[in-house]
């Protein structure tokens, strides 16, 4: 059974960089054709898609986050990492990582079959 677990600081000061780690067990982050997504849910709002890092190391960010997000991975630890720079209180949210499947190298399913439990991040001075 695939499990995802987010971890990182619960409190970040404005202007700092948020770094979150998603540790995956029960499956390799390099296995075809999976994409490892980051999403978040601000208080009182719906889910926002941030972006992903794919099985091959490819990355893609939502235009809303492109200028200040980066995705990386540590294959030895089976972890994917999100960095969000220049955070503001508007970045306060529960952050999730989720797995997305695909049928080949170019087709993503747009369906997330496994989710982490989420981690609360509060941006405050």
């Amino acid at each position: 059974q695939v499990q995802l677990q987010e971890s990182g600081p619960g409190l970040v000061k404005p202007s700092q960089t948020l770094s979150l780690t998603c540790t995956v067990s029960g499956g390799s982050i390099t296995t075809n054709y999976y994409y490892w997504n980051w999403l978040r849910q601000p208080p009182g709002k719906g889910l926002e898609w941030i972006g992903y890092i794919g099985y091959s190391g490819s990355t893609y960010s939502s235009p809303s986050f492109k200028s200040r997000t980066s995705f990386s991975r540590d294959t030895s630890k089976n972890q994917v990492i999100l960095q969000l720079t220049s955070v503001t209180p508007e970045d306060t949210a529960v952050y999730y990582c989720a797995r997305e499947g695909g049928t080949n190298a170019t087709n993503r399913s747009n369906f997330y079959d496994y989710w982490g439990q989420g981690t609360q991040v509060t941006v405050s001075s």
Side-chain angles (χ1 to χ4, degrees):
Q1 183 75 13
V2 176
Q3 295 187 58
L4 290 73
Q5 177 65 61
E6 304 92 343
S7 63
L11 181 64
V12 185
K13 296 183 181 298
S15 81
Q16 293 186 336
T17 295
L18 170 66
S19 182
L20 296 174
T21 298
C22 177
T23 301
V24 179
S25 62
S28 173
I29 61 172
T30 63
T31 295
N32 301 353
Y33 301 98
Y34 293 114
Y35 300 82
W36 305 90
N37 293 262
W38 288 97
L39 309 94
R40 74 180 189 184
Q41 186 168 32
K45 298 182 179 180
L47 284 169
E48 298 176 332
W49 181 69
I50 300 171
Y52 70 75
I53 183 166
Y55 60 95
S56 67
S58 64
T59 61
Y60 189 81
S61 297
S62 166
S64 300
F65 296 94
K66 185 173 65 176
S67 65
R68 58 192 188 99
T69 55
S70 65
F71 308 94
S72 59
R73 63 183 184 175
D74 185 338
T75 57
S76 69
K77 297 180 179 180
N78 215 37
Q79 296 177 327
V80 298
I81 300 100
L82 167 70
Q83 288 190 294
L84 180 65
T85 63
S86 303
V87 299
T88 73
E90 286 67 47
D91 292 312
T92 294
V94 177
Y95 285 75
Y96 299 90
C97 57
R99 190 180 80 168
E100 176 184 13
T103 57
N104 53 50
T106 58
N107 273 43
R108 291 159 48 216
S109 70
N110 301 124
F111 174 74
Y112 308 132
D113 56 359
Y114 290 98
W115 294 71
Q117 66 180 14
T119 185
Q120 172 70 49
V121 175
T122 300
V123 180
S124 176
S125 60

